[in-house]
Amino acid sequence: MFLVASNREILKGILTGNDRQEVTVDGDRTVGGRDHQPPVTTTAAATTKMAIPRLSLLPNNEHNSDNYEDLELEFSSSVLRSLERYLPPEILTANREEKAKFMSDILHKYISREECAKAIRFKNYREWIMSNYQPRFRELYKLDPESLLLPCFRKAVRENTEESFRRIMFEPFPGVYVFKMFQPDFFQKLLVEVENMRKWLHEAKLMIRKPNNKSKYGVVLDDFGMDIMLKPLVEDFIFPICKVFFPQVCGTMFDTQHGFVIENCEDRDAELGFHVENSDITLNVCLSKQSEGGEILFTGTRCNKHLKAGPKPEEIFEYCHEPGQAILHLGCHSHGAKAAITSCSRANMILWCINSLFREMQTYDNEFRDWCGQCAREKKEKKSQSLASKRKVKKRKKDMILLKFIRCFV
Ligand SMILES: [Zn+2]
């Protein structure tokens, strides 16, 4: 599900020249010293030292990449086609098989064979579901804004201003936005569809892929092809809101989304411990809830560096999620669902929106992050310490002047 992020890292690693190296070429034209090295053509006899052809820094946009669909490869044809435009001229003229081998060898430096095998298993799992599953409500698999979304929500997004968004939402706590966006019949239809998916998987004797490592009882909507509806929903309707309220996180657009439904009741994931999510922005829609209990407790935003910093009293906020409501918050806004009391059950649709560029920037940026509660606190403390020491220096200077002045009269 995070192949886009991985590809970006791969490409970044490649383009920054991480594969630049000199290797020893053996007499049989295989490369010695390391596994998975790109092939090097040489007429030299044994042990000639030469450089591996490097990828170009800029893509060759004029080049028409080959199609690799019919070859049995570990990497998808679309990834190879994208990478092909960066191939050096001497490799670009090689045949398809040679180019595929050259690119696969490079990619293997960034993705292990186990990860490749896992991705292929997941691809096959998804393709099998998509070609065999019969949806109960086909209208849930494409985005028709008029039948799916509330008119007031569509109007607010169309106007696309902070004022228009604030008109349909409230912010019960800083950084937590609550609003209604779906037509009333969406919730029941989605719940029936999810039950249908679960039943079908059970009858087909297929395992249900867990949506994340916290939830045991959930269904990944993307696996059934619902990402075709969720992607434009995120891009056309959720992103504009995020751009206004979380501009530092969402950049120019999210590059991945992960949609799933989770259920909580006394015997199904009764309590979810405090956690931050593998998302940059999270949309949490309450589909149904019976009886009381199971509130969400927010405990502060945390960057990667401060994940273990405990919550301060002013960061704790409890919210009672109601059916029909959507909550939008940062993925790093730590929270947990309180234990469901007897006979209480609820179902939520969760959408994780991911911006891999924002994640990369976090790796290189060591400054305080305004969106992290602990960073903001440390920045404030540093500022007040600096002010206190400046005051101290100033006072010392004043005392010296006063002392000099007194000495003049002694
Ligand atoms: Zn921080």
Side-chain angles (χ1 to χ4, degrees):
M1 72 184 144
F2 302 118
L3 275 180
V4 175
S6 304
N7 290 343
R8 189 189 289 274
E9 282 162 21
I10 293 159
L11 200 57
K12 194 186 81 207
I14 293 167
L15 296 180
T16 49
N18 287 351
D19 65 322
R20 191 195 307 179
Q21 57 196 295
E22 286 195 331
V23 293
T24 305
V25 182
D26 297 327
D28 62 354
R29 296 191 178 187
T30 60
V31 184
R34 281 182 67 175
D35 290 336
H36 320 311
Q37 294 290 355
V40 178
T41 307
T42 177
T43 53
T47 58
T48 301
K49 226 179 179 189
M50 64 177 292
I52 291 175
R54 290 192 59 212
L55 293 173
S56 305
L57 282 173
L58 297 170
N60 180 351
N61 292 323
E62 307 288 305
H63 177 71
N64 195 6
S65 296
D66 273 320
N67 192 322
Y68 297 91
E69 294 283 357
D70 59 316
L71 300 181
E72 292 228 341
L73 300 168
E74 289 166 292
F75 298 100
S76 78
S77 178
S78 60
V79 169
L80 297 182
R81 280 172 65 84
S82 302
L83 188 55
E84 186 177 320
R85 295 191 296 130
Y86 292 86
L87 288 181
E90 58 267 45
I91 303 292
L92 208 55
T93 50
N95 65 38
R96 258 186 347 147
E97 285 74 11
E98 283 172 350
K99 282 189 287 188
K101 165 110 177 55
F102 181 84
M103 292 188 283
S104 299
D105 286 340
I106 290 176
L107 291 166
H108 269 306
K109 291 182 195 167
Y110 300 90
I111 302 177
S112 69
R113 291 196 182 275
E114 290 73 32
E115 284 173 304
C116 281
K118 198 175 162 190
I120 290 170
R121 273 202 307 277
F122 164 60
K123 186 171 163 263
N124 293 340
Y125 172 80
R126 199 185 147 151
E127 279 176 1
W128 199 86
I129 292 176
M130 298 269 281
S131 54
N132 290 284
Y133 176 72
Q134 293 299 318
R136 182 81 191 274
F137 298 104
R138 288 201 178 270
E139 60 269 35
L140 293 177
Y141 293 79
K142 62 176 192 306
L143 183 66
D144 176 12
E146 288 191 10
S147 62
L148 200 69
L149 303 170
L150 291 172
C152 58
F153 177 73
R154 282 185 275 129
K155 186 170 181 280
V157 175
R158 210 166 39 242
E159 289 178 25
N160 197 11
T161 61
E162 183 174 348
E163 193 194 352
S164 71
F165 292 134
R166 289 209 183 267
R167 218 163 41 224
I168 58 155
M169 61 172 58
F170 69 104
E171 191 179 3
F173 190 78
V176 177
Y177 300 93
V178 181
F179 51 94
K180 289 189 175 180
M181 60 185 284
F182 290 107
Q183 296 277 9
D185 65 342
F186 168 78
F187 308 98
Q188 194 53 37
K189 279 182 180 173
L190 184 59
L191 284 169
V192 172
E193 188 69 47
V194 166
E195 206 42 55
N196 198 44
M197 291 169 178
R198 207 190 292 281
K199 192 166 162 258
W200 181 84
L201 283 172
H202 180 74
E203 284 168 2
K205 295 187 168 46
L206 273 181
M207 55 161 275
I208 300 181
R209 191 164 73 98
K210 288 182 197 171
N212 56 56
N213 56 11
K214 288 270 175 197
S215 308
K216 278 185 275 178
Y217 299 96
V219 171
V220 180
L221 301 175
D222 308 326
D223 289 351
F224 289 80
M226 218 178 261
D227 53 327
I228 294 167
M229 181 273 280
L230 297 175
K231 192 169 187 289
L233 180 74
V234 166
E235 291 180 355
D236 301 341
F237 293 92
I238 304 303
F239 179 77
I241 302 175
C242 298
K243 190 80 187 153
V244 169
F245 297 108
F246 306 106
Q248 68 281 45
V249 173
C250 52
T252 51
M253 182 49 77
F254 299 118
D255 46 39
T256 318
Q257 95 275 327
H258 175 50
F260 53 94
V261 167
I262 50 167
E263 289 176 61
N264 308 81
C265 61
E266 55 185 326
D267 59 345
R268 284 186 177 187
D269 292 338
E271 185 172 359
L272 287 178
F274 292 103
H275 62 282
V276 293
E277 290 168 337
N278 192 6
S279 74
D280 298 310
I281 302 284
T282 296
L283 179 81
N284 179 335
V285 182
C286 183
L287 302 174
S288 74
K289 185 181 165 190
Q290 284 159 11
S291 191
E292 295 301 309
E295 289 81 8
I296 302 175
L297 204 61
F298 288 93
T299 53
T301 48
R302 295 289 181 268
C303 68
N304 290 343
K305 190 178 146 195
H306 293 123
L307 284 178
K308 288 184 180 168
K312 298 284 178 241
E314 66 272 17
E315 290 181 308
I316 296 171
F317 167 67
E318 187 175 304
Y319 185 73
C320 187
H321 208 0
E322 294 295 335
Q325 283 185 336
I327 300 180
L328 194 68
H329 62 82
L330 286 172
C332 67
H333 202 150
S334 169
H335 62 280
K338 283 176 77 178
I341 58 172
T342 310
S343 79
C344 172
S345 71
R346 62 184 186 277
N348 296 54
M349 181 185 84
I350 313 287
L351 255 178
W352 284 357
C353 307
I354 294 147
N355 174 13
S356 50
L357 188 62
F358 169 70
R359 293 175 176 215
E360 276 178 37
M361 282 167 68
Q362 266 206 70
T363 315
Y364 302 107
D365 181 14
N366 289 320
E367 292 294 305
F368 292 115
R369 286 117 188 183
D370 290 339
W371 45 266
C372 166
Q374 188 63 23
C375 273
R377 218 168 0 260
E378 287 184 7
K379 190 177 176 181
K380 206 173 161 186
E381 278 168 16
K382 201 175 171 185
K383 203 174 167 185
S384 66
Q385 277 171 5
S386 157
L387 272 173
S389 74
K390 273 181 190 166
R391 272 195 215 108
K392 219 171 169 181
V393 171
K394 219 170 170 181
K395 190 176 177 301
R396 203 177 296 146
K397 274 183 184 169
K398 258 185 181 176
D399 290 349
M400 292 291 285
I401 293 167
L402 191 65
L403 201 65
K404 273 184 187 172
F405 181 75
I406 293 168
R407 276 179 186 155
C408 291
F409 293 95
V410 178

